[in-house]
Every structure is written in C-alpha cells, then in structure tokens.
Amino acid sequence: MGTQIIDVRVASNGRMILPLSVRKAMGLHGDAKIILTLEDDQVRLSPIGHGVSRAKALYREHAKHDRTTDQFLIDRAADEGDDESDDRRGDGA
C-alpha cells in the first residue's frame, strides 16, 4: 500500500474515527488496540500485532541462544531458585 493522505476530524474531547479503508488496511476488525507512536509532530498508528511481530523478529535476530520462550522461562525460574539459595547461605550480594 502506498502513501495516502486522509483528512480526519478530531473532536474537542480528542476522539476521532478511523475510516473503514484505514481499518481494513491495518487489519483491524471490531474492537481493537493499536499502538500510537508520537515522534516530534508526527503520529504513526500500528496494529498491536505488528509490534509483537517486530519484537519477536528482533529477538530472533539478536538472540544468542536457540531456545523457546518456555525454555527461557524455565531457565529464569531456575536462576531465581539459585539466587534464593545463595541468599539463605549468605553468599548473595
């Protein structure tokens, strides 16, 4: 989709209506959450799923370990258990 310029009215209470064509282009159906990014005087609206997809892609790009989220959580829980054991023995900081 190329760049489109669409006039949208903002009510005195701050509400605005996204035109149907914009909602369809963003993949929004029914009630939906979006991310609003304000940079200087520019606003960018993104479907929240795109932010999640981008974060996952960045993780895969920079992750040093090839493991699942579940494995990460298991490892973190084990790390927490080790820290608590150290604290009980007086080895913690």
Side-chain angles (χ1 to χ4, degrees):
M1 176 179 179
T3 301
Q4 292 184 358
I5 298 173
I6 301 170
D7 289 335
V8 176
R9 178 182 302 268
V10 178
S12 60
N13 65 1
R15 291 180 186 226
M16 63 180 192
I17 297 174
L18 290 177
L20 180 59
S21 62
V22 173
R23 295 193 310 269
K24 281 185 177 180
M26 294 177 71
L28 302 176
H29 307 283
D31 287 344
K33 285 188 134 185
I34 59 172
I35 297 169
L36 187 145
T37 305
L38 178 61
E39 187 173 326
D40 299 322
D41 66 343
Q42 302 289 310
V43 173
R44 183 176 64 238
L45 303 176
S46 307
I48 203 150
H50 288 187
V52 171
S53 297
R54 177 78 176 125
K56 286 180 179 179
L58 286 171
Y59 173 79
R60 284 191 300 274
E61 183 179 329
H62 298 287
K64 295 182 175 139
H65 304 285
D66 187 24
R67 59 186 176 172
T68 65
T69 304
D70 289 336
Q71 186 58 50
F72 171 79
L73 293 173
I74 290 167
D75 293 347
R76 285 296 297 137
D79 290 346
E80 287 295 319
D82 291 344
D83 290 346
E84 289 175 10
S85 295
D86 290 347
D87 288 346
R88 283 192 293 271
R89 287 193 313 257
D91 297 340

